[in-house]
Amino acid sequence: MAALWAVVLVVANRPLRPDRTSGLAYLGLLALIEVGLLVQAVLGFVKLAGADHPVPGVTYGGYLLGALLILPIAVFWSLAERTRWGTAVLVVGALVVPVLIVRLGQVWTRG
């Protein structure tokens, strides 16, 4: 949903504007996703500490932290770059998060 919303902004050639209601709503959606990613990171590190099978901890932790940091970096970049391409960074960031989550599951099961 967040990536689709950002694609619409890119196609409409509109930068993210936090001073507008739609910009605040989008930032609220990203904040909600970020809270979920924070919970996932905390639970993931707890799960890693009590793992009963070998898991590559650095890789798993890297994916947890990467998923946590990608959206704030994309938002910062988008707000700094007030063009269509700044908004395109939000599309990329919103699409990278699910990929990182899938990789978390793969690293856990193959560990």
Side-chain angles (χ1 to χ4, degrees):
M1 182 61 126
L4 180 62
W5 193 336
V7 166
V8 169
L9 291 175
V10 169
V11 170
N13 197 16
R14 292 184 159 188
L16 179 62
R17 304 244 349 225
D19 58 337
R20 296 203 174 155
T21 305
S22 63
L24 283 176
Y26 185 71
L27 289 175
L29 173 64
L30 292 179
L32 183 63
I33 293 169
E34 191 65 20
V35 167
L37 291 171
L38 180 61
V39 169
Q40 177 187 24
V42 169
L43 294 176
F45 280 115
V46 168
K47 186 177 176 181
L48 182 61
D52 58 351
H53 68 284
V55 178
V58 173
T59 304
Y60 191 76
Y63 280 116
L64 284 171
L65 292 178
L68 189 61
L69 296 176
I70 195 74
L71 285 180
I73 291 169
V75 168
F76 177 77
W77 190 335
S78 177
L79 292 175
E81 176 66 42
R82 305 297 292 164
T83 65
R84 166 185 286 187
W85 304 112
T87 310
V89 171
L90 288 173
V91 175
V92 173
L95 291 175
V96 165
V97 169
V99 172
L100 294 174
I101 292 171
V102 168
R103 283 294 298 148
L104 276 170
Q106 291 173 345
V107 169
W108 185 265
T109 57
R110 291 186 187 161

